[in-house]
Short mmCIF file of all heavy atoms in Angstrom, two decimals:
data_model
loop_
_atom_site.label_atom_id
_atom_site.label_comp_id
_atom_site.label_asym_id
_atom_site.label_seq_id
_atom_site.Cartn_x
_atom_site.Cartn_y
_atom_site.Cartn_z
N THR F 1 53.11 -26.58 95.54
CA THR F 1 52.01 -26.89 94.61
C THR F 1 52.58 -26.83 93.18
O THR F 1 53.63 -26.27 92.94
CB THR F 1 50.86 -25.89 94.78
OG1 THR F 1 51.34 -24.55 94.55
CG2 THR F 1 50.22 -26.00 96.14
N GLU F 2 51.83 -27.41 92.25
CA GLU F 2 52.28 -27.37 90.86
C GLU F 2 52.26 -25.98 90.29
O GLU F 2 51.23 -25.30 90.35
CB GLU F 2 51.38 -28.31 90.02
CG GLU F 2 52.09 -28.95 88.85
CD GLU F 2 53.17 -29.94 89.26
OE1 GLU F 2 53.02 -30.60 90.33
OE2 GLU F 2 54.14 -30.08 88.50
N GLN F 3 53.41 -25.55 89.74
CA GLN F 3 53.55 -24.20 89.25
C GLN F 3 54.16 -24.23 87.83
O GLN F 3 54.97 -25.10 87.53
CB GLN F 3 54.46 -23.38 90.18
CG GLN F 3 53.90 -23.22 91.59
CD GLN F 3 52.62 -22.43 91.59
OE1 GLN F 3 52.42 -21.51 90.80
NE2 GLN F 3 51.73 -22.79 92.53
N PRO F 4 53.84 -23.25 86.98
CA PRO F 4 54.38 -23.24 85.63
C PRO F 4 55.86 -22.84 85.63
O PRO F 4 56.30 -22.08 86.49
CB PRO F 4 53.54 -22.17 84.88
CG PRO F 4 53.06 -21.29 86.01
CD PRO F 4 52.85 -22.18 87.25
N ALA F 5 56.59 -23.35 84.66
CA ALA F 5 58.01 -23.04 84.54
C ALA F 5 58.22 -21.56 84.33
O ALA F 5 59.33 -21.03 84.59
CB ALA F 5 58.64 -23.83 83.40
N SER F 6 57.21 -20.84 83.88
CA SER F 6 57.31 -19.38 83.70
C SER F 6 57.60 -18.67 84.99
O SER F 6 58.00 -17.49 84.95
CB SER F 6 56.03 -18.83 83.06
OG SER F 6 54.90 -19.11 83.91
N LYS F 7 57.41 -19.30 86.13
CA LYS F 7 57.67 -18.67 87.43
C LYS F 7 59.13 -18.76 87.84
O LYS F 7 59.50 -18.31 88.94
CB LYS F 7 56.79 -19.31 88.50
CG LYS F 7 55.31 -19.06 88.31
CD LYS F 7 54.95 -17.59 88.47
CE LYS F 7 53.47 -17.35 88.42
NZ LYS F 7 53.11 -15.91 88.63
N LEU F 8 59.96 -19.36 86.99
CA LEU F 8 61.40 -19.48 87.31
C LEU F 8 62.19 -18.29 86.76
O LEU F 8 61.95 -17.83 85.66
CB LEU F 8 61.96 -20.79 86.74
CG LEU F 8 61.47 -22.09 87.39
CD1 LEU F 8 62.10 -23.26 86.69
CD2 LEU F 8 61.82 -22.08 88.87
N CYS F 9 63.09 -17.82 87.62
CA CYS F 9 64.06 -16.79 87.22
C CYS F 9 65.44 -17.43 87.36
O CYS F 9 65.85 -17.70 88.52
CB CYS F 9 63.91 -15.54 88.07
SG CYS F 9 65.10 -14.26 87.65
N LEU F 10 66.15 -17.64 86.30
CA LEU F 10 67.39 -18.41 86.29
C LEU F 10 68.58 -17.50 86.23
O LEU F 10 68.73 -16.70 85.31
CB LEU F 10 67.39 -19.34 85.05
CG LEU F 10 68.60 -20.23 84.85
CD1 LEU F 10 68.74 -21.24 85.96
CD2 LEU F 10 68.52 -20.93 83.49
N ALA F 11 69.47 -17.60 87.24
CA ALA F 11 70.73 -16.88 87.24
C ALA F 11 71.78 -17.66 86.47
O ALA F 11 71.92 -18.86 86.69
CB ALA F 11 71.18 -16.63 88.66
N LEU F 12 72.50 -17.00 85.56
CA LEU F 12 73.49 -17.63 84.71
C LEU F 12 74.87 -17.16 85.17
O LEU F 12 75.21 -15.99 85.09
CB LEU F 12 73.27 -17.21 83.25
CG LEU F 12 71.85 -17.33 82.72
CD1 LEU F 12 71.76 -16.68 81.33
CD2 LEU F 12 71.39 -18.77 82.67
N GLU F 13 75.70 -18.10 85.62
CA GLU F 13 77.01 -17.74 86.18
C GLU F 13 78.07 -18.72 85.74
O GLU F 13 77.78 -19.92 85.57
CB GLU F 13 76.93 -17.73 87.72
CG GLU F 13 78.21 -17.37 88.42
CD GLU F 13 78.61 -15.91 88.29
OE1 GLU F 13 77.83 -15.12 87.69
OE2 GLU F 13 79.68 -15.54 88.80
N CYS F 14 79.29 -18.23 85.56
CA CYS F 14 80.43 -19.14 85.34
C CYS F 14 81.58 -18.66 86.19
O CYS F 14 81.73 -17.49 86.48
CB CYS F 14 80.82 -19.22 83.86
SG CYS F 14 81.29 -17.65 83.11
N GLY F 15 82.45 -19.58 86.59
CA GLY F 15 83.59 -19.24 87.41
C GLY F 15 84.62 -20.36 87.40
O GLY F 15 84.25 -21.52 87.22
N GLY F 16 85.86 -20.01 87.60
CA GLY F 16 86.88 -21.04 87.46
C GLY F 16 86.83 -21.62 86.04
O GLY F 16 86.87 -22.83 85.86
N SER F 17 86.69 -20.72 85.05
CA SER F 17 86.47 -21.15 83.69
C SER F 17 87.75 -21.68 83.04
O SER F 17 88.86 -21.35 83.48
CB SER F 17 85.93 -20.00 82.85
OG SER F 17 84.69 -19.54 83.36
N ASP F 18 87.58 -22.50 82.00
CA ASP F 18 88.70 -23.01 81.25
C ASP F 18 88.42 -22.87 79.75
O ASP F 18 87.38 -22.33 79.36
CB ASP F 18 89.05 -24.47 81.65
CG ASP F 18 87.96 -25.48 81.19
OD1 ASP F 18 86.92 -25.06 80.69
OD2 ASP F 18 88.21 -26.67 81.40
N GLY F 19 89.34 -23.40 78.94
CA GLY F 19 89.18 -23.26 77.50
C GLY F 19 88.01 -24.01 76.94
O GLY F 19 87.59 -23.76 75.80
N ASN F 20 87.42 -24.92 77.69
CA ASN F 20 86.26 -25.67 77.22
C ASN F 20 84.95 -25.09 77.70
O ASN F 20 83.88 -25.57 77.31
CB ASN F 20 86.35 -27.16 77.60
CG ASN F 20 87.29 -27.92 76.66
OD1 ASN F 20 87.21 -27.80 75.45
ND2 ASN F 20 88.17 -28.73 77.22
N SER F 21 85.00 -24.06 78.57
CA SER F 21 83.77 -23.49 79.11
C SER F 21 82.85 -22.99 77.97
O SER F 21 81.62 -23.24 77.98
CB SER F 21 84.09 -22.32 80.03
OG SER F 21 84.73 -22.78 81.21
N GLY F 22 83.42 -22.32 76.95
CA GLY F 22 82.65 -21.82 75.87
C GLY F 22 82.34 -22.85 74.80
O GLY F 22 81.65 -22.55 73.82
N VAL F 23 82.82 -24.09 75.00
CA VAL F 23 82.59 -25.17 74.05
C VAL F 23 81.50 -26.13 74.55
O VAL F 23 80.74 -26.64 73.78
CB VAL F 23 83.91 -25.94 73.80
CG1 VAL F 23 83.71 -27.13 72.82
CG2 VAL F 23 85.01 -25.03 73.31
N THR F 24 81.44 -26.32 75.88
CA THR F 24 80.57 -27.34 76.46
C THR F 24 79.51 -26.77 77.40
O THR F 24 78.38 -26.55 76.99
CB THR F 24 81.39 -28.41 77.17
OG1 THR F 24 82.12 -27.79 78.28
CG2 THR F 24 82.41 -29.08 76.26
N ALA F 25 79.89 -26.47 78.64
CA ALA F 25 78.91 -26.11 79.65
C ALA F 25 78.16 -24.80 79.37
O ALA F 25 76.94 -24.74 79.57
CB ALA F 25 79.58 -26.04 81.02
N ASN F 26 78.89 -23.77 78.91
CA ASN F 26 78.22 -22.51 78.70
C ASN F 26 77.18 -22.57 77.57
O ASN F 26 76.06 -22.10 77.74
CB ASN F 26 79.23 -21.39 78.45
CG ASN F 26 79.99 -21.02 79.76
OD1 ASN F 26 79.63 -21.47 80.82
ND2 ASN F 26 81.01 -20.23 79.64
N PRO F 27 77.53 -23.09 76.41
CA PRO F 27 76.47 -23.18 75.37
C PRO F 27 75.33 -24.15 75.76
O PRO F 27 74.17 -23.92 75.39
CB PRO F 27 77.22 -23.70 74.14
CG PRO F 27 78.55 -24.17 74.59
CD PRO F 27 78.83 -23.44 75.85
N ALA F 28 75.63 -25.17 76.57
CA ALA F 28 74.55 -26.03 77.06
C ALA F 28 73.64 -25.27 77.97
O ALA F 28 72.40 -25.43 77.91
CB ALA F 28 75.13 -27.26 77.78
N LEU F 29 74.21 -24.42 78.86
CA LEU F 29 73.38 -23.59 79.70
C LEU F 29 72.59 -22.57 78.86
O LEU F 29 71.42 -22.27 79.18
CB LEU F 29 74.27 -22.82 80.74
CG LEU F 29 73.55 -21.84 81.65
CD1 LEU F 29 72.34 -22.48 82.36
CD2 LEU F 29 74.53 -21.28 82.67
N GLY F 30 73.17 -22.12 77.77
CA GLY F 30 72.44 -21.23 76.84
C GLY F 30 71.19 -21.91 76.29
O GLY F 30 70.15 -21.30 76.13
N VAL F 31 71.32 -23.20 75.94
CA VAL F 31 70.18 -23.95 75.47
C VAL F 31 69.10 -24.02 76.55
O VAL F 31 67.91 -23.81 76.29
CB VAL F 31 70.61 -25.39 75.04
CG1 VAL F 31 69.39 -26.27 74.80
CG2 VAL F 31 71.48 -25.33 73.78
N ALA F 32 69.52 -24.36 77.78
CA ALA F 32 68.56 -24.44 78.88
C ALA F 32 67.87 -23.09 79.15
O ALA F 32 66.66 -23.04 79.40
CB ALA F 32 69.28 -24.93 80.16
N ALA F 33 68.66 -22.00 79.06
CA ALA F 33 68.06 -20.66 79.26
C ALA F 33 67.03 -20.36 78.19
O ALA F 33 65.95 -19.85 78.47
CB ALA F 33 69.18 -19.62 79.28
N ASP F 34 67.37 -20.68 76.94
CA ASP F 34 66.42 -20.46 75.85
C ASP F 34 65.12 -21.30 76.03
O ASP F 34 64.03 -20.81 75.76
CB ASP F 34 67.05 -20.85 74.50
CG ASP F 34 68.07 -19.78 74.00
OD1 ASP F 34 68.01 -18.66 74.52
OD2 ASP F 34 68.87 -20.13 73.13
N LEU F 35 65.29 -22.54 76.49
CA LEU F 35 64.11 -23.40 76.74
C LEU F 35 63.22 -22.78 77.83
O LEU F 35 61.98 -22.80 77.73
CB LEU F 35 64.56 -24.80 77.12
CG LEU F 35 65.16 -25.63 75.99
CD1 LEU F 35 65.81 -26.89 76.57
CD2 LEU F 35 64.10 -26.03 74.98
N LEU F 36 63.85 -22.24 78.89
CA LEU F 36 63.07 -21.65 79.96
C LEU F 36 62.39 -20.38 79.47
O LEU F 36 61.21 -20.15 79.80
CB LEU F 36 64.01 -21.34 81.15
CG LEU F 36 63.30 -20.64 82.34
CD1 LEU F 36 62.19 -21.51 82.91
CD2 LEU F 36 64.33 -20.27 83.41
N ILE F 37 63.07 -19.53 78.72
CA ILE F 37 62.48 -18.30 78.22
C ILE F 37 61.34 -18.63 77.29
O ILE F 37 60.30 -17.93 77.30
CB ILE F 37 63.57 -17.46 77.54
CG1 ILE F 37 64.54 -16.89 78.60
CG2 ILE F 37 62.94 -16.32 76.73
CD1 ILE F 37 65.77 -16.27 78.02
N ALA F 38 61.44 -19.71 76.52
CA ALA F 38 60.34 -20.10 75.63
C ALA F 38 59.12 -20.52 76.45
O ALA F 38 57.98 -20.49 75.93
CB ALA F 38 60.79 -21.26 74.72
N GLN F 39 59.31 -20.92 77.70
CA GLN F 39 58.23 -21.29 78.60
C GLN F 39 57.63 -20.04 79.29
O GLN F 39 56.67 -20.17 80.07
CB GLN F 39 58.72 -22.24 79.67
CG GLN F 39 59.11 -23.62 79.16
CD GLN F 39 57.90 -24.52 78.93
OE1 GLN F 39 56.89 -24.39 79.61
NE2 GLN F 39 58.03 -25.42 77.94
N GLY F 40 58.19 -18.88 79.01
CA GLY F 40 57.73 -17.65 79.66
C GLY F 40 58.51 -17.25 80.90
O GLY F 40 58.13 -16.32 81.61
N GLY F 41 59.63 -17.95 81.15
CA GLY F 41 60.45 -17.66 82.28
C GLY F 41 61.51 -16.58 82.01
O GLY F 41 61.53 -16.00 80.90
N ALA F 42 62.32 -16.30 83.01
CA ALA F 42 63.34 -15.26 82.88
C ALA F 42 64.73 -15.88 83.12
O ALA F 42 64.88 -16.83 83.87
CB ALA F 42 63.10 -14.13 83.85
N ALA F 43 65.74 -15.29 82.47
CA ALA F 43 67.12 -15.64 82.73
C ALA F 43 67.91 -14.35 82.86
O ALA F 43 67.65 -13.38 82.13
CB ALA F 43 67.71 -16.50 81.60
N VAL F 44 68.88 -14.31 83.79
CA VAL F 44 69.63 -13.07 84.01
C VAL F 44 71.12 -13.40 84.04
O VAL F 44 71.57 -14.28 84.76
CB VAL F 44 69.15 -12.38 85.33
CG1 VAL F 44 69.24 -13.27 86.53
CG2 VAL F 44 69.96 -11.09 85.54
N LEU F 45 71.84 -12.66 83.22
CA LEU F 45 73.28 -12.80 83.06
C LEU F 45 73.93 -11.59 83.73
O LEU F 45 73.40 -10.47 83.69
CB LEU F 45 73.64 -12.80 81.57
CG LEU F 45 75.10 -12.87 81.16
CD1 LEU F 45 75.69 -14.24 81.47
CD2 LEU F 45 75.22 -12.56 79.67
N GLY F 46 75.10 -11.79 84.33
CA GLY F 46 75.86 -10.67 84.96
C GLY F 46 77.30 -10.65 84.49
O GLY F 46 77.61 -11.07 83.39
N GLU F 47 78.19 -10.14 85.34
CA GLU F 47 79.62 -10.11 85.11
C GLU F 47 79.98 -9.18 83.94
O GLU F 47 80.51 -9.58 82.92
CB GLU F 47 80.19 -11.50 84.84
CG GLU F 47 79.94 -12.46 86.00
CD GLU F 47 80.58 -13.84 85.74
OE1 GLU F 47 80.10 -14.55 84.84
OE2 GLU F 47 81.56 -14.17 86.45
N THR F 48 79.72 -7.88 84.13
CA THR F 48 79.99 -6.91 83.05
C THR F 48 81.45 -6.96 82.62
O THR F 48 81.77 -6.85 81.43
CB THR F 48 79.65 -5.50 83.55
OG1 THR F 48 78.36 -5.52 84.22
CG2 THR F 48 79.59 -4.52 82.36
#
C-alpha cells in the first residue's frame, strides 16, 4: 500500500572503495540520505 518515505530506514555502506569513493558515490549517497531524513526517515552509518 502507499506509504510515506518516513517509513524508510536506509543503511549506508561502502566497500571495495577507491580514491574516487569520497568524490562521487559517497557524497551522492550523502545527498540521498539527507533527502530521506528531510522526509522524516532514518539513515544509519556503521564501520567504526
Side-chain angles (χ1 to χ4, degrees):
T1 57
E2 209 67 32
Q3 298 296 326
S6 60
K7 294 295 186 178
L8 291 178
C9 178
L10 178 65
L12 312 172
E13 179 73 3
C14 59
S17 300
D18 69 354
N20 280 315
S21 293
V23 179
T24 62
N26 287 352
L29 177 52
V31 169
D34 285 342
L35 289 169
L36 178 61
I37 290 169
Q39 293 280 329
V44 54
L45 178 71
E47 301 183 292
T48 314

